[in-house]
Amino acid sequence: MEEELMQIKNSAVSMIIEATDQKELEEIKLQFLGRSGKLTLTLKEIVKVPVERRAAVGQLANEVKRVIEETIKNHESRIKNQESKTKIEKIDVTNPGIKPDIGRLHPLTQVLYEVVDIFKQIGFQVADGPEIETDHYNFEVLNIHKDHPARDTQQTLYLDTRGSKSDPGKIILRTHGSNMQGRIMETTRPPVRAIYPGKVFRYEQVDVSHGFEFWQLEGLAVDKNLTLTDLFGTMSYVIKEFFGLDTKVKFVSHNFPFTEPSAETYMSCTVCKGKGCSFCKHSGWVEILGCGMIHPNVLKAVGYDSQKVSGFAWGMGFSRMVTLKYQMDDLRLLTNPDLRILEQF
Ligand code: DAH
């Protein structure tokens, strides 16, 4: 009996360790430990063993059972390991992968980089300044004194300064990028060439062409002998570089308190190329910026000698440049985070 048990153990173990898959292992298990398995049947014979040897044989039988079960368990996990390894190795590299979502720059930022590069190439530096501004830099320095009618056009948002040291009504959200003119000129001696892109704020009813916050790209140049032709040349150059050489540019006389003379600048419509369409209200032209020669009062206010230096300044509707470039008919597309729009850039 003992010999028979040892034989069962040896053949079971050698079969188990040669099994190559789970199914084979199950069959071996059944063959030895199942209800009519070899070991089970042998165990049933134990009663026939003489009493004095029965305990020892029983012990051996239990040991054989334990070894078989343990070997099966170990080999089972080895097979599982092997299977998962071969699964990894079997990756079909020709299958299309899962595309990761890739972030990208907002269209405003993309256009900003493009325009800034154009200005940098012609010698302009980039400046940045506060969005919360004083009445002084937003209006006073710019020759827009208290009660000046030009203040009405600026739909100013005032900050509640109660409980602070500031005078009521003196702290505002900047209404235009021109607030930077005083700040830059006060701290820099001519020659100066600077652009300062940024957000501005007005108390506006939001619709397709108005927002309470929008981007402007302002700039100025101050040097000896700068004239209107320098201004017109610079603006035409930048517009043509950005929108294409076939773009037409025209300057129409205007009035701003901080420039004299002043002009509004129009360019041929990007949609109809000047023929007239609903985008340009059938005029063939779209307004793109305001500009002019810096008023002597402004130069004086920042401590420049208006007899020795002259300068020009402009303010571009920068959000407008983006909508014109991509022919978007709604300004709100730039401020609403809608992935269906943003993923197109
Ligand atoms: N600040 C003006 C506005 O927001 C735009 C402007 C016009 C800026 C003429 C200038 C300028 O620097 O010279 O409507």
Side-chain angles (χ1 to χ4, degrees):
M1 183 102 191
E2 285 96 327
E3 209 174 302
E4 206 178 326
L5 281 169
M6 287 313 281
Q7 252 177 20
I8 289 176
K9 186 185 92 175
N10 290 342
S11 63
V13 168
S14 63
M15 279 170 82
I16 292 167
I17 57 179
E18 267 168 35
T20 51
D21 59 30
Q22 188 71 29
K23 201 173 148 233
E24 210 178 318
L25 214 53
E26 286 299 323
E27 275 163 17
I28 298 170
K29 198 171 174 181
L30 218 61
Q31 204 178 323
F32 287 94
L33 306 176
R35 215 186 296 162
S36 44
K38 275 185 198 158
L39 183 66
T40 321
L41 294 180
T42 314
L43 287 177
K44 278 184 187 156
E45 301 291 304
I46 282 185
V47 282
K48 293 181 189 158
V49 175
V51 188
E52 61 280 9
R53 281 178 39 232
R54 206 177 286 166
V57 173
Q59 220 173 5
L60 178 67
N62 279 339
E63 177 62 11
V64 169
K65 192 176 178 201
R66 192 189 61 76
V67 170
I68 294 177
E69 279 173 347
E70 203 164 293
T71 318
I72 288 178
K73 214 169 116 198
N74 290 343
H75 197 65
E76 201 170 33
S77 62
R78 213 172 301 146
I79 285 177
K80 271 190 191 146
N81 256 341
Q82 198 61 34
E83 275 173 358
S84 61
K85 263 193 209 150
T86 45
K87 251 188 214 153
I88 291 170
E89 279 155 19
K90 272 189 195 152
I91 285 174
D92 180 356
V93 290
T94 60
N95 270 345
I98 301 162
K99 232 178 163 187
D101 282 337
I102 297 175
R104 63 201 83 199
L105 294 176
H106 191 277
L108 262 166
T109 315
Q110 291 185 26
V111 172
L112 180 66
Y113 287 176
E114 226 179 291
V115 182
V116 165
D117 271 350
I118 298 174
F119 276 109
K120 273 188 184 167
Q121 275 161 15
I122 51 173
F124 283 84
Q125 289 180 296
V126 184
D128 197 11
E131 291 172 353
I132 294 175
E133 188 52 288
T134 58
D135 179 278
H136 176 75
Y137 285 112
N138 199 83
F139 295 124
E140 285 293 330
V141 172
L142 295 165
N143 207 25
I144 314 173
H145 301 294
K146 192 170 172 286
D147 299 328
H148 193 294
R151 288 199 179 210
D152 291 349
T153 64
Q154 298 268 316
Q155 281 118 321
T156 311
L157 287 156
Y158 292 88
L159 262 68
D160 184 354
T161 53
R162 278 174 293 187
S164 81
K165 284 184 195 138
S166 308
D167 292 337
K170 292 292 180 206
I171 307 292
I172 61 170
L173 290 182
R174 67 172 172 196
T175 59
H176 51 183
S178 314
N179 71 316
M180 288 295 290
Q181 290 194 18
R183 291 183 173 274
I184 289 174
M185 289 191 281
E186 269 178 5
T187 51
T188 327
R189 293 287 92 198
V192 192
R193 282 184 188 77
I195 56 168
Y196 24 97
K199 262 192 285 187
V200 304
F201 308 86
R202 293 194 193 172
Y203 183 63
E204 295 264 15
Q205 184 69 39
V206 176
D207 63 23
V208 288
S209 53
H210 295 90
F212 59 85
E213 68 169 28
F214 50 98
W215 278 72
Q216 284 190 339
L217 191 145
E218 274 245 4
L220 61 81
V222 184
D223 205 343
K224 285 182 193 140
N225 302 323
L226 284 183
T227 65
L228 207 54
T229 47
D230 296 308
L231 167 62
F232 289 173
T234 308
M235 294 301 106
S236 303
Y237 171 77
V238 172
I239 291 170
K240 283 170 189 275
E241 274 295 293
F242 182 70
F243 286 105
L245 292 178
D246 56 343
T247 313
K248 292 198 187 80
V249 182
K250 75 172 176 182
F251 298 91
V252 177
S253 176
H254 198 74
N255 174 52
F256 295 109
F258 35 92
T259 42
E260 181 58 38
S262 309
E264 294 244 82
T265 307
Y266 293 81
M267 55 176 259
S268 48
C269 175
T270 49
V271 177
C272 61
K273 301 276 172 223
K275 288 191 195 79
C277 66
S278 58
F279 197 71
C280 58
K281 301 201 181 80
H282 303 283
S283 69
W285 295 96
V286 285
E287 193 198 322
I288 183 80
L289 61 94
C291 60
M293 300 305 293
I294 300 174
H295 198 291
N297 286 353
V298 178
L299 294 175
K300 271 183 223 150
V302 297
Y304 283 5
D305 185 343
S306 62
Q307 298 296 321
K308 289 195 180 137
V309 291
S310 56
F312 61 80
W314 75 89
M316 287 177 170
F318 184 67
S319 299
R320 193 158 169 72
M321 282 186 84
V322 181
T323 53
L324 280 173
K325 167 122 178 160
Y326 296 114
Q327 293 157 17
M328 293 175 168
D329 51 10
D330 190 338
L331 206 59
R332 290 171 293 189
L333 296 176
L334 291 177
T335 39
N336 294 350
D338 186 339
L339 281 183
R340 289 169 305 175
I341 303 292
L342 298 177
E343 278 175 345
Q344 294 177 40
F345 293 90

